[in-house]
Amino acid sequence: MTLTSTARRLRRPMIRERRRETWYAIAFVAPAAIGFLVFYLFPAIRGVWLSFTNYDLFSSGEFVGGANYAQIVDDKVFWNALLVTAEYVVINIGLQTAVALLMAVLMQRLAKSLVIRGILLVPYMVSGVVVALLWQWLLDYQIGIVNNALDFVGLPRQSFFGDPALAIVTVALINVWKSMGYTALLLFAGLQAIPKDVYEAAAIDGASEAKAFWRVSLPLLRPVLALVLIVSLIGSFQIFDTIAVTTKGGPVNATRVIYYYIYDLAFNRYDFGYASAIALVLFVILLGITLIQLRITRANKSDLA
Amino acid sequence: MTTIATPRRRFRIGRAGAWVLVGVFILITLFPFYWMLRTSFSTNGALPSHSNSLLPAEGTLDAYRRVLGLSSVSEALEKGGSTASVDFWLYLRNSFIVAISTTVVQTLFSALAAYAFARLRWPGRNVVFTIFLSALMVPPIFTTLPNFILIRDLGLLNTFLGIVLPNLLMSPFAVFFLRQFFLNISTEIEEAARLDGAGHLRTFFRVIVPMSAAPITTLAILTYVAAWNDYFWPLLVGQDENVRVLTVALGIFKAQTPNGGGPDWSGLMAATVIAALPVVILFTLLGRRVINSIQFSGVK
């Protein structure tokens, strides 16, 4: 028997084995692939198509070219929605990140207890609808405990959801309350990954706790911070539950954020074509923000490396 | 002497201040939940006159009886409830059906796919995986609009199938999450099983799944919580009483509450307690896993 024939005889079952493995892989991926094709890929393509039509749920809809996009340019409500969303995102993310950073440092330097981390995470585990209703009660103008407290310290009662100047701030603060524990946990994990000897070196050099934070923790945390910022920013743009339950976009348009505007256009006015066009614009905005943020913060590079 | 004592004392004061801060954070987190409980055990009509009392206002279980459909309409109205029939037993059941079926099926199929992406060799594997992952970039509302049209065209509005279907077969995050874990399992154990004549399916269920029990459980919890808390999609396709889940029911209950005399806050808070409790219990029992996995995703 020659060497080549032995090799050939060995290779044939290997090829058969490879082919078998491919069939198994196809069978294993098939259910997920069907789910992906039908409920992710197909609707994404259909969404792009819808944005060029005047589809309204009842008729089949006609191709209208770029009319929807031309309409967006002149749509004051859209620009207002974008502005309100930006306002919400800035307050929400700014405050949430600052508070979460403080919490994370406290978790790391002081209160390492798992129970404390668990407690701070509870609001995040609860539904947005529950949180919205709960805060609407706490902030009730007449008998809400927060307004009672304001009254007690001699401040005027506030119509937190009814005052156009306050409504979006209120919604943003509610969601800071909901998500700060979660963000803190992510940042805490990032802090834990910083080697202890860096802190020891800083302590030997006589750095105070505050100095160690600004000069050691923060710079080394940057990659994690950047990632957390991107993820929470994208989530923040999708604010819906709180507004749908409390203000429904009002007073006037003070809380009509982009997500709620799209929902309103599609499901109250059945303007699916126009709603899809705005949804696509939102998609592009989020994509752009992600790319810019990755670029600026150099998220993939750590100073530890 | 003083040069040594001063920084230490300052350190101690700083430490005490930091602990106070931790206490404040815990208080801010927990007090609203306490207030929710306190209100749910109050008599609705007594809330205005006892608005500062830390204890339930005229303590009673009426709010729970009202939202669980145990008191008659006239009785409920008298106690400050709404005229609309509310039956949170039914909504609780519906939420369980939706969350459990989504969790079981989605986790199973996502795990199978993740296994194929992590451990099997087949042409086009990485390309397909990258395409799967790209779905994470798309804001959900963009695909939600066409999905609504599809579910309506299939005649599945106001059915459980319509509510669960878009999330039933996979979630890009679940596939990604499990693949990460499967990649780290040593190939030797898997090869040993294969040499013993186990097929791929058998290897998956007898070797991979038991070895990944922890991450699979964690993922299942996260999926369950997300399905339980979801509002947007069930609001669009499942308003009908028979399939109405808790989140949607809460929104409708809130909207139906009579304007004269103020909302039925004790009823609403009882309903939110019912909606939040299963998740809080689950979190109390298995929270350690959830916390660890979130921390893990923070480092990754």
Side-chain angles (χ1 to χ4, degrees):
Chain A
M1 218 189 279
T2 61
L3 211 70
T4 44
S5 73
T6 322
R8 199 176 295 143
R9 215 188 298 158
L10 271 172
R11 201 183 298 145
R12 200 167 292 151
M14 240 172 86
I15 291 171
R16 202 183 297 149
E17 172 53 32
R18 272 288 161 83
R19 211 169 275 162
R20 235 169 79 91
E21 199 163 327
T22 302
W23 280 114
Y24 266 103
I26 290 172
F28 280 19
V29 173
I34 292 170
F36 177 78
L37 290 175
V38 178
F39 296 105
Y40 287 89
L41 190 63
F42 168 64
I45 296 166
R46 195 180 192 181
V48 176
W49 162 249
L50 283 174
S51 76
F52 292 103
T53 69
N54 60 4
Y55 186 79
D56 64 358
L57 271 190
F58 305 109
S59 65
S60 58
E62 285 164 19
F63 181 78
V64 294
N68 288 326
Y69 292 95
Q71 193 183 336
I72 290 178
V73 177
D74 296 325
D75 184 352
K76 286 206 179 69
V77 185
F78 166 79
W79 292 108
N80 177 67
L82 210 55
L83 203 69
V84 171
T85 310
E87 199 183 332
Y88 169 84
V89 170
V90 168
I91 300 171
N92 179 239
I93 296 300
L95 207 64
Q96 180 176 301
T97 312
V99 174
L101 205 52
L102 181 61
M103 282 168 112
V105 172
L106 288 173
M107 283 175 181
Q108 195 216 4
R109 309 294 287 170
L110 198 66
K112 292 208 179 216
S113 146
L114 192 74
V115 176
I116 292 180
R117 269 176 276 156
I119 288 173
L120 297 176
L121 200 58
V122 173
Y124 185 75
M125 289 290 142
V126 172
S127 156
V129 178
V130 167
V131 169
L133 281 173
L134 173 56
W135 278 98
Q136 207 169 10
W137 163 227
L138 291 164
L139 299 173
D140 185 77
Y141 186 81
Q142 308 278 347
I143 53 172
I145 189 74
V146 174
N147 267 318
N148 283 353
L150 286 180
D151 213 23
F152 182 76
V153 296
L155 292 168
R157 286 178 180 270
Q158 299 293 330
S159 177
F160 287 100
F161 294 101
D163 183 344
L166 267 183
I168 196 69
V169 180
T170 304
V171 174
L173 289 180
I174 291 174
N175 285 312
V176 169
W177 179 80
K178 187 180 194 298
S179 306
M180 60 187 183
Y182 175 73
T183 312
L185 194 56
L186 293 175
L187 296 177
F188 167 76
L191 287 174
Q192 291 287 82
I194 298 173
K196 282 212 173 57
D197 48 350
V198 185
Y199 287 104
E200 278 157 18
I204 288 166
D205 288 349
S208 66
E209 195 78 9
K211 208 161 193 175
F213 171 75
W214 289 109
R215 298 285 172 83
V216 178
S217 303
L218 211 53
L220 292 179
L221 193 63
R222 198 187 58 208
V224 175
L225 197 59
L227 204 71
V228 169
L229 265 176
I230 293 174
V231 173
S232 47
L233 199 76
I234 289 174
S236 184
F237 263 89
Q238 290 160 22
I239 162 74
F240 175 81
D241 295 7
T242 324
I243 284 164
V245 172
T246 58
T247 60
K248 298 201 181 300
V252 198
N253 282 325
T255 60
R256 191 171 299 276
V257 289
I258 199 93
Y259 231 71
Y260 196 80
Y261 186 44
I262 295 170
Y263 161 80
D264 200 28
L265 281 170
F267 296 98
N268 292 327
R269 287 182 248 170
Y270 308 113
D271 201 347
F272 264 66
Y274 189 47
S276 297
I278 295 182
L280 190 60
V281 170
L282 175 67
F283 180 21
V284 173
I285 291 174
L286 292 181
L287 212 59
I289 289 174
T290 309
L291 292 179
I292 292 170
Q293 217 168 11
L294 277 174
R295 180 64 62 87
I296 291 177
T297 51
R298 292 167 290 153
N300 42 1
K301 278 188 196 155
S302 164
D303 288 347
L304 273 176
Chain B
M1 282 301 262
T2 43
T3 46
I4 300 169
T6 322
R8 190 178 288 169
R9 188 178 302 150
R10 202 174 59 197
F11 180 63
R12 215 175 282 156
I13 292 169
R15 233 178 131 75
W19 272 112
V20 169
L21 212 54
V22 172
V24 169
F25 279 132
I26 292 175
L27 190 71
I28 290 174
T29 303
L30 288 185
F31 181 77
F33 289 109
Y34 171 71
W35 206 244
M36 179 169 156
L37 276 174
R38 173 261 182 201
T39 308
S40 73
F41 290 117
S42 295
T43 303
N44 199 50
L47 285 175
S49 53
H50 296 74
S51 63
N52 284 323
S53 155
L54 281 176
L55 294 172
E58 294 175 16
T60 171
L61 289 173
D62 277 352
Y64 287 93
R65 296 185 46 205
R66 224 157 42 232
V67 296
L68 292 173
L70 299 175
S71 52
S72 68
V73 170
S74 58
E75 210 183 334
L77 264 180
E78 202 178 296
K79 299 266 167 62
S82 76
T83 46
S85 72
V86 280
D87 183 357
F88 273 79
W89 280 125
L90 182 65
Y91 313 142
L92 199 59
R93 183 205 70 172
N94 294 345
S95 275
F96 274 120
I97 292 175
V98 168
I100 291 173
S101 58
T102 303
T103 306
V104 172
V105 182
Q106 191 203 83
T107 309
L108 172 70
F109 287 146
S110 297
L112 277 171
Y115 176 64
F117 286 126
R119 308 305 287 231
L120 300 179
R121 281 156 303 176
W122 46 288
R125 179 180 73 176
N126 294 338
V127 177
V128 175
F129 180 66
T130 311
I131 296 173
F132 265 44
L133 267 194
S134 67
L136 282 172
M137 290 297 299
V138 183
I141 199 162
F142 186 60
T143 45
T144 296
L145 300 179
N147 273 340
F148 175 82
I149 300 170
L150 179 67
I151 292 295
R152 187 203 58 168
D153 291 346
L154 291 172
L156 292 176
L157 286 185
N158 293 314
T159 64
F160 282 120
L161 196 59
I163 297 175
V164 297
L165 208 49
N167 292 314
L168 197 63
L169 297 176
M170 67 105 55
S171 101
F173 172 74
V175 175
F176 170 72
F177 183 90
L178 290 177
R179 178 178 170 270
Q180 290 297 100
F181 282 99
F182 294 163
L183 281 174
N184 290 329
I185 294 176
S186 104
T187 36
E188 282 159 32
I189 298 165
E190 201 184 348
E191 266 158 21
R194 304 273 299 120
L195 282 178
D196 285 349
H200 288 288
L201 203 62
R202 213 180 145 87
T203 311
F204 174 74
F205 280 110
R206 292 291 170 83
V207 179
I208 301 289
V209 170
M211 287 187 69
S212 315
I216 290 176
T217 313
T218 305
L219 181 76
I221 298 166
L222 293 176
T223 308
Y224 184 89
V225 171
W228 184 270
N229 289 342
D230 191 21
Y231 179 54
F232 192 52
W233 179 251
L235 174 72
L236 303 181
V237 299
Q239 299 245 359
D240 197 79
E241 176 116 44
N242 292 320
V243 297
R244 193 185 296 165
V245 293
L246 283 165
T247 47
V248 178
L250 280 173
I252 291 175
F253 185 28
K254 167 77 200 330
Q256 279 172 342
T257 200
N259 280 322
D264 175 10
W265 285 120
S266 55
L268 275 166
M269 287 304 110
T272 55
V273 170
I274 293 168
L277 208 55
V279 166
V280 172
I281 290 172
L282 190 72
F283 183 63
T284 313
L285 295 177
L286 299 163
R288 182 184 298 266
R289 286 224 163 107
V290 179
I291 292 169
N292 288 338
S293 86
I294 293 172
Q295 282 175 207
F296 171 78
S297 64
V299 181
K300 274 280 145 176

